[in-house]
Amino acid sequence: MERLTTRRLGTLPATVRTPRYDRDRLEIGLAHIGVGAFHRCHLAEYTDDMLEAAFGRWGTVGINIRPPRLADSLGAQDGLYTRTLRTGASAQTRVIGCIRRVIDVESPLDAASAIDAIASPHVGTVTLTLTEKGYCHMPATGVLDPRQTDVIHDLAAPPQPRTALGLLAAAFERRMLVGAGPLSVVSCDNLPSNGALLARVMSDFVAARPAALRRWMADNIAFPGTMVDRIVPATTSEDIAFASGQLGAADQAAVVGEPFRQWVLSDGFAGERPPWDLAGAQFVPNVQPYELVKMRVLNAAQSTLSHLGPFLGHDFSFQAAADPLLARYVRRMLTEETAPTLANLDGMPTAAYIDTTFQRIGNPAIRHRCHQIGTDGSQKIVQRLINPMRERLAAGRPAPLLTLAIAAWVAYVLAGAALFGRRWSAIDPFASQVVALSDGCQGDLVALANRILSIGQIFGTLAPNDQLCATVARHIAGLHSRAPRDYLLSVLDL
C-alpha cells in the first residue's frame, strides 16, 4: 500500500478529517524534542486546532535524540500521520499536519542540524516530551545526576549531544552568538513543577560553561510549567492496520488515544506565546495545583493499578480498573489519603476527578499495557505516591493505603529477582540495583525493605523506620505469595 504523503492528502476518503489550513504556506516556528506517541496525539493536535483557528507560523520541527527514528515514519510521510480517538466502539481518525520537518540526532551532522533548528530566530518555543528519565535528574531531589553516562559524555563533548539537556545547552549558546532572541522551553512531562525542574537541571548542566552563557540564559530563556493529560497507549500493528484501512494509504506513524484531553500552561513565556488557548488550552498564573491533582489522582491510579495488575493476571490497565478488588482499593486510597492533600479547583473538583479517572482508565478501547505504564516507576512514584505519603506522615496522619501502593512498586520490580522466580523484568533505571539488593538479603524481607527504602535518589528523606520496613516486607511477601488476591482482601480492612 502506498504511504500517506502530501500528494495523497487530496485523495483520502471524505470520512477522514484532514488539515483545514494551507499546509504549503506553513512556516516553522516551533521545535519539539521527543516526538513520540504522546506528542503526536496531544500537543500536535492542539497545534493543528490552533492553526485552524488562526493560521500563523506555528509549524513544528520534530527532533528525536533516541529511537524510534523519525525518518522511517514521519520523514517518509512528509510529517503527516493520523491520530484515532477511541471510546467503546467509536473511533475517529484525523490527519495531523503541523510537523513540517524531522531530525534524527544520529551523527555530528544531524546534531548540527538540530542545534541550528532550535537556534533559528524564527523558533520562539521548544516543547519537550522526554519521559521522566530524560531529564537526567535524581527524582527525590530534582537536581542533575552528574554520574549518568550520557551526562558525562555531553559535558565533555558538547557538539554531539546524547541528552536533551546537551542539545538545549548547545542551541542556547548558538542563539546567544547569533542574537536569535528569547526562547520559551516548555516541559510537557509528568514531573512535579516540570518547568522549575527543567530550569534547575539546565542550570546545573551549564554551571561549568562561560558566565556569559549563564547570564544570557537568565535574561532570555523562560521555562513555563505545564500539565498535560491524555491517555495514549503504545501504537500496535493493529492500530496501524486500522488507520491505513481508513485512509487507503499506509500510515506507519499512526497514534491512538482517548477523547479526553487537557493542557494547562503557565503564562510566563519569553517573547511571543503560541495561542494554544484558541484550541482549548488554559494559560494560568500557577500550574502546580492542576498538576498535583492530575499526578496524585490519575497518574497515581495508573501506576498503582499497573504495578498490582500483573500480580492478579491482568495484562491491560482497563482490566485492572475493572477488577472490583483493585478498583475498591485504589478508590479508597485516592479518596481517604490522597484527596486531603489536594485543593479543590474550579472545573476540577477532586471527588469528580476520581470518578472521571476510573471511567478513563476503564475504557476498554484504550489498550494500555500494565507493563508499559509500569516502565520507569522509580521516576514516577515520588510525585504520585511518595510525596502525598510524606505530607500525611508529616501531619501526623497514617498512610497505610499509600504505603501499600509504594510497596507494590517494590514488589513489581522485585519480580525480576531470583528470590521471587524471575516472573518478569521491570524496565526501570533502578531495577538492577533493587534486584541486586535482594540477592544479598538471604531471604530477610525486612532487611531488604530497609535497603530499598534507603535509596536516597528515590525516597529522599522518607526515613525507613522499623514499622514501615516491616509493613513493606509483609506486602512484598503477600503480593509474591500464591494467593495475592486473598492477601489484598485481607489488608483492605486496614
Side-chain angles (χ1 to χ4, degrees):
M1 186 182 289
E2 185 179 350
R3 293 285 286 272
L4 170 65
T5 61
T6 301
R7 189 181 66 81
R8 291 299 309 274
L9 271 181
T11 69
L12 299 182
T15 54
V16 176
R17 178 177 168 181
T18 56
R20 297 170 181 172
Y21 53 84
D22 188 348
R23 193 166 181 264
D24 291 336
R25 293 175 47 234
L26 183 58
E27 299 177 3
I28 291 175
L30 302 171
H32 183 82
I33 305 174
V35 188
F38 183 82
H39 168 256
R40 300 201 302 275
C41 200
H42 184 277
L43 282 70
E45 183 190 85
Y46 271 96
T47 299
D48 252 38
D49 286 346
M50 174 181 72
L51 288 166
E52 292 183 356
F55 186 79
R57 54 172 189 81
W58 303 115
T60 301
V61 53
I63 301 167
N64 269 11
I65 299 175
R66 300 185 182 279
R69 296 183 73 249
L70 298 173
D72 300 333
S73 54
L74 289 169
Q77 297 178 183
D78 300 330
L80 296 167
Y81 66 94
T82 59
R83 73 95 187 97
T84 298
L85 305 183
R86 295 184 180 276
T87 180
S90 172
Q92 299 178 343
T93 300
R94 170 185 179 181
V95 175
I96 302 295
C98 63
I99 298 176
R100 300 295 286 133
R101 181 188 176 201
V102 296
I103 303 171
D104 294 302
V105 181
E106 299 176 319
S107 71
L109 185 60
D110 298 328
S113 294
I115 292 167
D116 286 344
I118 297 172
S120 167
H122 301 292
V123 170
T125 300
V126 178
T127 50
L128 302 90
T129 47
L130 307 174
T131 75
E132 291 84 352
K133 65 183 177 183
Y135 292 80
C136 307
H137 71 301
M138 291 183 278
T141 60
V143 301
L144 181 72
D145 186 351
R147 299 167 297 177
Q148 291 191 20
T149 302
D150 288 342
V151 172
I152 294 170
H153 170 275
D154 283 7
L155 291 172
Q160 183 57 41
R162 294 179 183 173
T163 68
L165 307 184
L167 175 61
L168 287 170
F172 293 168
E173 190 164 16
R174 180 70 57 77
R175 289 185 75 94
M176 177 184 69
L177 293 174
V178 302
L183 184 71
S184 298
V185 185
V186 187
S187 167
C188 299
D189 285 290
N190 287 319
L191 291 158
S193 303
N194 53 15
L197 173 70
L198 180 56
R200 186 181 309 123
V201 293
M202 284 304 309
S203 177
D204 293 343
F205 190 88
V206 301
R209 298 285 179 90
L213 174 61
R214 300 197 300 274
R215 289 194 298 269
W216 182 88
M217 286 175 56
D219 293 338
N220 292 275
I221 305 296
F223 297 94
T226 65
M227 185 275 274
V228 295
D229 194 3
R230 171 170 269 172
I231 297 175
V232 181
T235 303
T236 66
S237 56
E238 291 80 10
D239 296 330
I240 290 174
F242 177 85
S244 300
Q246 294 291 104
L247 295 173
D251 179 11
Q252 295 299 319
V255 291
V256 173
E258 63 168 340
F260 181 95
R261 73 176 189 181
Q262 188 177 15
W263 195 5
V264 184
L265 303 96
S266 167
D267 55 13
F269 276 62
E272 186 178 5
R273 187 182 75 186
W276 282 307
D277 50 323
L278 298 177
Q282 298 171 260
F283 289 100
V284 300
N286 183 11
V287 173
Q288 187 178 36
Y290 295 88
E291 74 178 24
L292 284 178
V293 173
K294 190 248 181 170
M295 285 192 291
R296 294 187 180 187
V297 176
L298 175 72
N299 296 143
Q302 288 176 309
S303 289
T304 305
L305 289 168
S306 294
H307 292 147
L308 288 173
F311 287 104
L312 301 191
H314 300 308
D315 291 328
F316 297 95
S317 59
F318 78 85
Q319 295 170 332
D323 186 315
L325 173 61
L326 294 182
R328 176 188 170 201
Y329 157 57
V330 175
R331 187 178 284 274
R332 277 191 60 194
M333 177 186 78
L334 298 176
T335 302
E336 297 175 14
E337 295 185 6
T338 302
T341 72
L342 299 169
N344 270 304
L345 303 174
D346 289 341
M348 205 175 174
T350 306
Y353 193 74
I354 292 173
D355 291 337
T356 301
T357 287
F358 278 90
Q359 294 169 9
R360 294 172 60 196
I361 300 176
N363 180 357
I366 301 299
R367 302 178 70 80
H368 218 164
R369 291 192 175 276
C370 290
H371 287 308
Q372 182 197 358
I373 300 173
T375 295
D376 298 334
S378 63
Q379 310 293 293
K380 302 171 181 176
I381 62 170
V382 174
Q383 59 267 26
R384 301 179 183 192
L385 302 168
I386 295 174
N387 284 346
M389 176 181 173
R390 183 183 287 113
E391 290 175 20
R392 287 188 64 84
L393 295 179
R397 298 174 181 172
L401 302 174
L402 283 164
T403 301
L404 174 56
I406 293 167
W409 170 77
V410 176
Y412 177 82
V413 176
L414 284 172
L419 180 64
F420 298 101
R422 302 194 192 281
R423 301 169 65 180
W424 57 74
S425 295
I427 301 173
D428 191 288
F430 286 85
S432 59
Q433 181 176 345
V434 170
V435 169
L437 290 174
S438 74
D439 292 339
C441 78
Q442 299 179 328
D444 185 344
L445 296 188
V446 175
L448 175 59
N450 187 295
R451 293 173 186 174
I452 294 172
L453 295 174
S454 297
I455 300 175
Q457 297 99 314
I458 303 172
F459 296 98
T461 59
L462 187 67
N465 57 54
D466 291 345
Q467 180 180 353
L468 178 61
C469 291
T471 301
V472 171
R474 177 163 52 90
H475 291 331
I476 293 170
L479 291 172
H480 281 287
S481 71
R482 296 192 178 188
R485 181 175 293 276
D486 291 342
Y487 176 74
L488 287 174
L489 278 169
S490 71
V491 299
L492 268 176
D493 292 326
L494 285 170

CSV table of all heavy atoms in Angstrom, one decimal, residues 65-101:
chain,number,residue,atom,x,y,z
A,65,ILE,N,16.3,12.4,19.8
A,65,ILE,CA,17.7,12.1,20.1
A,65,ILE,C,17.9,10.6,20.2
A,65,ILE,O,18.9,10.0,20.0
A,65,ILE,CB,18.1,12.8,21.4
A,65,ILE,CG1,18.0,14.3,21.3
A,65,ILE,CG2,19.5,12.4,21.9
A,65,ILE,CD1,18.3,15.0,22.5
A,66,ARG,N,16.8,9.9,20.6
A,66,ARG,CA,16.8,8.4,20.8
A,66,ARG,C,15.8,7.8,19.9
A,66,ARG,O,14.9,8.5,19.4
A,66,ARG,CB,16.5,8.1,22.3
A,66,ARG,CG,17.5,8.7,23.2
A,66,ARG,CD,17.2,8.2,24.7
A,66,ARG,NE,18.2,8.8,25.6
A,66,ARG,CZ,19.4,8.4,25.8
A,66,ARG,NH1,19.9,7.3,25.1
A,66,ARG,NH2,20.2,9.0,26.7
A,67,PRO,N,15.9,6.5,19.7
A,67,PRO,CA,14.9,5.8,18.9
A,67,PRO,C,13.5,6.0,19.4
A,67,PRO,O,13.4,6.2,20.6
A,67,PRO,CB,15.3,4.3,18.9
A,67,PRO,CG,16.8,4.4,19.3
A,67,PRO,CD,16.9,5.6,20.2
A,68,PRO,N,12.4,5.8,18.6
A,68,PRO,CA,12.5,5.4,17.2
A,68,PRO,C,12.9,6.5,16.3
A,68,PRO,O,12.7,7.7,16.6
A,68,PRO,CB,11.0,4.9,17.0
A,68,PRO,CG,10.2,5.8,17.9
A,68,PRO,CD,11.0,6.0,19.1
A,69,ARG,N,13.4,6.1,15.1
A,69,ARG,CA,13.8,7.0,14.1
A,69,ARG,C,12.6,7.7,13.4
A,69,ARG,O,11.7,7.0,13.0
A,69,ARG,CB,14.7,6.3,13.0
A,69,ARG,CG,16.0,5.8,13.5
A,69,ARG,CD,16.8,5.2,12.4
A,69,ARG,NE,17.4,6.2,11.6
A,69,ARG,CZ,17.1,6.4,10.3
A,69,ARG,NH1,16.1,5.7,9.7
A,69,ARG,NH2,17.7,7.4,9.6
A,70,LEU,N,12.6,9.0,13.3
A,70,LEU,CA,11.6,9.7,12.7
A,70,LEU,C,11.6,9.6,11.2
A,70,LEU,O,10.6,9.6,10.5
A,70,LEU,CB,11.6,11.2,13.1
A,70,LEU,CG,11.5,11.5,14.6
A,70,LEU,CD1,11.7,12.9,14.9
A,70,LEU,CD2,10.1,11.0,15.1
A,71,ALA,N,12.8,9.4,10.6
A,71,ALA,CA,12.9,9.3,9.2
A,71,ALA,C,12.1,8.2,8.6
A,71,ALA,O,11.6,8.2,7.5
A,71,ALA,CB,14.4,9.2,8.8
A,72,ASP,N,12.0,7.1,9.4
A,72,ASP,CA,11.4,5.9,8.9
A,72,ASP,C,9.8,6.0,8.9
A,72,ASP,O,9.1,5.2,8.2
A,72,ASP,CB,11.8,4.6,9.7
A,72,ASP,CG,13.3,4.4,9.6
A,72,ASP,OD1,13.9,4.8,8.6
A,72,ASP,OD2,13.9,3.8,10.5
A,73,SER,N,9.3,6.9,9.7
A,73,SER,CA,7.9,7.0,9.9
A,73,SER,C,7.4,8.4,9.4
A,73,SER,O,7.0,8.5,8.2
A,73,SER,CB,7.5,6.9,11.4
A,73,SER,OG,8.2,7.8,12.2
A,74,LEU,N,7.6,9.4,10.2
A,74,LEU,CA,7.1,10.7,9.8
A,74,LEU,C,7.9,11.3,8.6
A,74,LEU,O,7.4,11.9,7.7
A,74,LEU,CB,7.3,11.7,10.9
A,74,LEU,CG,6.3,11.5,12.1
A,74,LEU,CD1,6.7,12.3,13.3
A,74,LEU,CD2,4.9,11.8,11.6
A,75,GLY,N,9.2,11.0,8.5
A,75,GLY,CA,10.0,11.6,7.4
A,75,GLY,C,9.6,11.0,6.1
A,75,GLY,O,9.5,11.8,5.1
A,76,ALA,N,9.2,9.8,6.0
A,76,ALA,CA,8.8,9.1,4.8
A,76,ALA,C,7.3,9.6,4.4
A,76,ALA,O,6.9,9.2,3.3
A,76,ALA,CB,8.8,7.6,4.9
A,77,GLN,N,6.7,10.3,5.3
A,77,GLN,CA,5.3,10.7,5.1
A,77,GLN,C,5.1,12.2,5.1
A,77,GLN,O,4.0,12.7,5.4
A,77,GLN,CB,4.4,10.0,6.2
A,77,GLN,CG,4.4,8.5,6.1
A,77,GLN,CD,3.5,7.8,7.2
A,77,GLN,OE1,3.5,6.6,7.2
A,77,GLN,NE2,2.8,8.6,8.0
A,78,ASP,N,6.2,12.9,4.9
A,78,ASP,CA,6.1,14.4,4.8
A,78,ASP,C,5.6,15.0,6.1
A,78,ASP,O,5.0,16.1,6.1
A,78,ASP,CB,5.2,14.9,3.6
A,78,ASP,CG,5.7,14.4,2.3
A,78,ASP,OD1,7.0,14.2,2.1
A,78,ASP,OD2,4.9,14.2,1.4
A,79,GLY,N,5.8,14.3,7.2
A,79,GLY,CA,5.4,14.8,8.5
A,79,GLY,C,3.9,14.5,8.8
A,79,GLY,O,3.5,14.8,9.9
A,80,LEU,N,3.2,13.8,7.9
A,80,LEU,CA,1.8,13.6,8.1
A,80,LEU,C,1.6,12.2,8.9
A,80,LEU,O,2.4,11.3,8.7
A,80,LEU,CB,1.1,13.5,6.8
A,80,LEU,CG,1.1,14.8,6.0
A,80,LEU,CD1,0.6,14.5,4.5
A,80,LEU,CD2,0.1,15.8,6.6
A,81,TYR,N,0.5,12.2,9.6
A,81,TYR,CA,0.1,10.9,10.3
A,81,TYR,C,-1.3,11.1,10.8
A,81,TYR,O,-1.9,12.1,10.7
A,81,TYR,CB,1.1,10.6,11.5
A,81,TYR,CG,0.9,11.7,12.6
A,81,TYR,CD1,0.1,11.5,13.7
A,81,TYR,CD2,1.6,12.9,12.5
A,81,TYR,CE1,-0.1,12.4,14.7
A,81,TYR,CE2,1.5,13.8,13.5
A,81,TYR,CZ,0.6,13.6,14.6
A,81,TYR,OH,0.5,14.5,15.6
A,82,THR,N,-1.9,10.0,11.2
A,82,THR,CA,-3.2,10.0,11.8
A,82,THR,C,-3.2,9.8,13.3
A,82,THR,O,-2.3,9.2,13.8
A,82,THR,CB,-4.1,8.9,11.2
A,82,THR,OG1,-3.5,7.6,11.5
A,82,THR,CG2,-4.3,9.1,9.7
A,83,ARG,N,-4.2,10.4,13.9
A,83,ARG,CA,-4.5,10.1,15.3
A,83,ARG,C,-5.9,9.6,15.3
A,83,ARG,O,-6.8,10.3,14.8
A,83,ARG,CB,-4.2,11.3,16.2
A,83,ARG,CG,-5.2,12.4,16.2
A,83,ARG,CD,-6.2,12.3,17.3
A,83,ARG,NE,-7.2,13.3,17.1
A,83,ARG,CZ,-8.4,13.1,16.5
A,83,ARG,NH1,-8.7,12.0,15.9
A,83,ARG,NH2,-9.3,14.1,16.4
A,84,THR,N,-6.2,8.5,16.0
A,84,THR,CA,-7.5,8.0,16.2
A,84,THR,C,-7.9,8.0,17.6
A,84,THR,O,-7.1,7.6,18.5
A,84,THR,CB,-7.6,6.5,15.7
A,84,THR,OG1,-7.2,6.5,14.3
A,84,THR,CG2,-8.9,5.9,15.9
A,85,LEU,N,-9.1,8.6,17.9
A,85,LEU,CA,-9.6,8.6,19.3
A,85,LEU,C,-10.6,7.5,19.4
A,85,LEU,O,-11.5,7.4,18.6
A,85,LEU,CB,-10.2,10.0,19.6
A,85,LEU,CG,-9.3,11.2,19.3
A,85,LEU,CD1,-10.1,12.5,19.7
A,85,LEU,CD2,-8.0,11.1,20.1
A,86,ARG,N,-10.5,6.7,20.5
A,86,ARG,CA,-11.3,5.5,20.7
A,86,ARG,C,-12.0,5.6,22.0
A,86,ARG,O,-11.4,6.0,23.1
A,86,ARG,CB,-10.5,4.2,20.7
A,86,ARG,CG,-9.9,3.9,19.3
A,86,ARG,CD,-9.1,2.6,19.4
A,86,ARG,NE,-8.5,2.2,18.2
A,86,ARG,CZ,-9.1,1.6,17.2
A,86,ARG,NH1,-10.4,1.3,17.3
A,86,ARG,NH2,-8.5,1.2,16.1
A,87,THR,N,-13.3,5.3,22.0
A,87,THR,CA,-14.1,5.1,23.2
A,87,THR,C,-15.2,4.1,22.9
A,87,THR,O,-15.9,4.3,21.9
A,87,THR,CB,-14.6,6.4,23.8
A,87,THR,OG1,-15.4,6.1,25.0
A,87,THR,CG2,-15.5,7.1,22.8
A,88,GLY,N,-15.2,3.0,23.6
A,88,GLY,CA,-16.2,1.9,23.3
A,88,GLY,C,-16.0,1.4,21.9
A,88,GLY,O,-14.9,1.1,21.5
A,89,ALA,N,-17.1,1.5,21.1
A,89,ALA,CA,-17.0,1.0,19.7
A,89,ALA,C,-16.7,2.2,18.7
A,89,ALA,O,-16.5,2.0,17.5
A,89,ALA,CB,-18.3,0.3,19.3
A,90,SER,N,-16.6,3.4,19.3
A,90,SER,CA,-16.4,4.6,18.4
A,90,SER,C,-14.9,4.8,18.1
A,90,SER,O,-14.0,4.6,19.0
A,90,SER,CB,-17.0,5.8,19.1
A,90,SER,OG,-16.6,7.0,18.4
A,91,ALA,N,-14.6,5.2,16.9
A,91,ALA,CA,-13.2,5.6,16.5
A,91,ALA,C,-13.3,6.7,15.5
A,91,ALA,O,-13.9,6.6,14.5
A,91,ALA,CB,-12.5,4.3,15.9
A,92,GLN,N,-12.5,7.8,15.8
A,92,GLN,CA,-12.5,9.0,15.0
A,92,GLN,C,-11.1,9.2,14.5
A,92,GLN,O,-10.2,9.4,15.3
A,92,GLN,CB,-13.0,10.2,15.7
A,92,GLN,CG,-14.5,10.1,16.2
A,92,GLN,CD,-14.9,11.3,17.0
A,92,GLN,OE1,-14.1,12.1,17.4
A,92,GLN,NE2,-16.2,11.5,17.1
A,93,THR,N,-10.8,9.1,13.2
A,93,THR,CA,-9.5,9.2,12.7
A,93,THR,C,-9.3,10.6,12.0
A,93,THR,O,-10.2,11.0,11.2
A,93,THR,CB,-9.2,8.1,11.7
A,93,THR,OG1,-9.4,6.8,12.4
A,93,THR,CG2,-7.9,8.2,11.1
A,94,ARG,N,-8.2,11.2,12.2
A,94,ARG,CA,-7.9,12.5,11.7
A,94,ARG,C,-6.4,12.6,11.3
A,94,ARG,O,-5.6,12.0,11.9
A,94,ARG,CB,-8.2,13.6,12.7
A,94,ARG,CG,-7.7,15.0,12.4
A,94,ARG,CD,-8.0,15.9,13.6
A,94,ARG,NE,-7.5,17.2,13.4
A,94,ARG,CZ,-7.6,18.2,14.3
A,94,ARG,NH1,-8.1,18.0,15.5
A,94,ARG,NH2,-7.2,19.4,14.1
A,95,VAL,N,-6.1,13.3,10.2
A,95,VAL,CA,-4.7,13.5,9.8
A,95,VAL,C,-4.2,14.8,10.4
A,95,VAL,O,-4.9,15.9,10.3
A,95,VAL,CB,-4.6,13.6,8.2
A,95,VAL,CG1,-3.2,14.0,7.8
A,95,VAL,CG2,-5.0,12.3,7.6
A,96,ILE,N,-3.1,14.7,11.0
A,96,ILE,CA,-2.4,15.9,11.7
A,96,ILE,C,-1.3,16.4,10.8
A,96,ILE,O,-0.5,15.6,10.3
A,96,ILE,CB,-1.9,15.5,13.1
A,96,ILE,CG1,-3.0,15.0,14.0
A,96,ILE,CG2,-1.2,16.7,13.7
A,96,ILE,CD1,-4.1,16.0,14.3
A,97,GLY,N,-1.2,17.7,10.6
A,97,GLY,CA,-0.3,18.2,9.6
A,97,GLY,C,0.7,19.2,10.0
A,97,GLY,O,1.5,19.8,9.2
A,98,CYS,N,0.8,19.5,11.3
A,98,CYS,CA,1.7,20.6,11.8
A,98,CYS,C,3.2,20.3,11.7
A,98,CYS,O,4.0,21.2,11.8
A,98,CYS,CB,1.3,21.1,13.2
A,98,CYS,SG,1.5,19.8,14.4
A,99,ILE,N,3.6,19.0,11.7
A,99,ILE,CA,5.0,18.7,11.7
A,99,ILE,C,5.5,18.9,10.2
A,99,ILE,O,5.1,18.2,9.3
A,99,ILE,CB,5.3,17.3,12.2
A,99,ILE,CG1,4.8,17.2,13.6
A,99,ILE,CG2,6.7,16.9,12.1
A,99,ILE,CD1,4.9,15.8,14.2
A,100,ARG,N,6.5,19.8,10.0
A,100,ARG,CA,6.9,20.1,8.7
A,100,ARG,C,8.3,19.5,8.4
A,100,ARG,O,8.7,19.4,7.3
A,100,ARG,CB,7.0,21.6,8.5
A,100,ARG,CG,5.7,22.3,8.7
A,100,ARG,CD,4.7,21.9,7.6
A,100,ARG,NE,5.0,22.5,6.3
A,100,ARG,CZ,5.0,21.9,5.2
A,100,ARG,NH1,4.9,20.6,5.1
A,100,ARG,NH2,5.3,22.5,4.0
A,101,ARG,N,9.1,19.2,9.5
A,101,ARG,CA,10.4,18.7,9.3
A,101,ARG,C,10.8,17.8,10.4
A,101,ARG,O,10.3,18.0,11.6
A,101,ARG,CB,11.4,19.8,9.2
A,101,ARG,CG,12.9,19.4,8.9
A,101,ARG,CD,13.8,20.7,9.0
A,101,ARG,NE,15.2,20.3,8.9
A,101,ARG,CZ,16.2,21.0,9.4
A,101,ARG,NH1,15.9,22.2,10.0
A,101,ARG,NH2,17.4,20.6,9.2
